[in-house]
Amino acid sequence: MQMKILIAGLSSLTQNYVAALTACGMEAIVDLSDTPQAASYDGLLLPGGGDIDPSFFGQPNCGSVSVD
């Protein structure tokens, strides 16, 4: 049975992840909605991105750049 992996992101920015998972024999589904049917997937891939603004965690910015 083929594993089904959810990639949280945009199709235009996650092509390399889809290619890698597909090459490993997995089915990769890209979805950025807030209500995917999580129980129907075997795994979740959270691609990296820009720094998260430390203020979200009540912390000062000590070197993060290009925060989202």
Side-chain angles (χ1 to χ4, degrees), residues 13-67:
L13 301 175
T14 55
Q15 296 166 347
N16 57 336
Y17 296 105
V18 171
L21 291 171
T22 302
C24 291
M26 299 178 201
E27 180 182 0
I29 293 87
V30 179
D31 190 349
L32 196 55
S33 69
D34 58 352
T35 56
Q37 299 297 319
S40 66
Y41 296 96
D42 299 299
L44 172 64
L45 193 148
L46 300 171
D51 287 345
I52 297 172
D53 192 328
S55 67
F56 285 122
F57 307 105
Q59 300 294 315
N61 186 339
C62 296
S64 295
V65 294
S66 301
V67 294

